[in-house]
Amino acid sequence: MKVSCGTDIIEIDRIKQSIEDMGETFLNRVFTRKEIDYCESRKKQKYQHYAARFAAKEATFKAISGILNDKYSITWKDIEIANDNQGRPVVSLYGIKQEERIENIDISISHCKNYAVANVVVLYKW
């Protein structure tokens, strides 16, 4: 069994500025439609939720990078952060062939006024 982890922290203002500067171009490059719909539904706190999902994607990439090789790359949208029925964040991977080597992914996300942070732990089948 192998365990891998990834952590990321980001300033919420950096994500807010990117969204304000690049608008839909930034949003559509980084986030899935499901993620955009969720964040936009958060109204006044939408930038905190965008930043939290951004940090979660970065943390996920760091945690799974050990199974990726030079011939294989992933995009921002290959990693989707959603919520289960209890509101707990979950990670879905799309188009990542090595995904069958992953037993489980656990994620924790938090944010405050200025920062968003995410921690991801991956349990591999081997």
Side-chain angles (χ1 to χ4, degrees):
M1 171 177 49
K2 178 181 176 179
V3 177
S4 182
C5 68
T7 301
D8 194 68
I9 185 169
I10 188 159
E11 295 165 324
I12 293 168
D13 281 345
R14 284 186 58 203
I15 295 300
K16 180 180 179 183
Q17 193 64 51
S18 295
I19 293 169
E20 289 176 350
D21 290 349
M22 297 187 298
E24 293 294 319
T25 301
F26 176 77
L27 291 176
N28 291 322
R29 182 182 323 135
V30 177
F31 302 102
T32 66
R33 174 55 29 199
K34 188 175 184 179
E35 291 168 328
I36 293 169
D37 290 345
Y38 172 80
C39 293
E40 290 296 322
S41 76
R42 308 319 294 175
K43 306 293 182 204
K44 291 182 181 181
Q45 292 187 337
K46 72 180 183 179
Y47 296 114
Q48 291 175 332
H49 289 272
Y50 276 121
R53 272 149 179 71
F54 187 93
K57 288 173 180 258
E58 282 281 341
T60 301
F61 176 76
K62 291 172 184 176
I64 67 170
S65 63
I67 63 169
L68 302 175
N69 59 43
D70 293 339
K71 296 178 184 178
Y72 190 76
S73 64
I74 62 172
T75 68
W76 287 104
K77 290 182 163 185
D78 290 331
I79 301 169
E80 183 177 68
I81 311 301
N83 295 74
D84 67 14
N85 293 337
Q86 288 80 38
R88 182 175 163 78
V90 293
V91 177
S92 295
L93 302 176
Y94 301 109
I96 299 173
K97 294 175 185 163
Q98 290 86 347
E99 164 174 27
E100 66 270 2
R101 292 171 43 190
I102 296 173
E103 180 77 32
N104 191 28
I105 300 176
D106 195 23
I107 184 169
S108 179
I109 301 173
S110 190
H111 52 80
C112 62
K113 182 179 178 182
N114 297 314
Y115 297 96
V117 64
N119 186 45
V120 173
V121 177
V122 176
L123 175 64
Y124 293 96
K125 294 178 183 176
W126 40 319

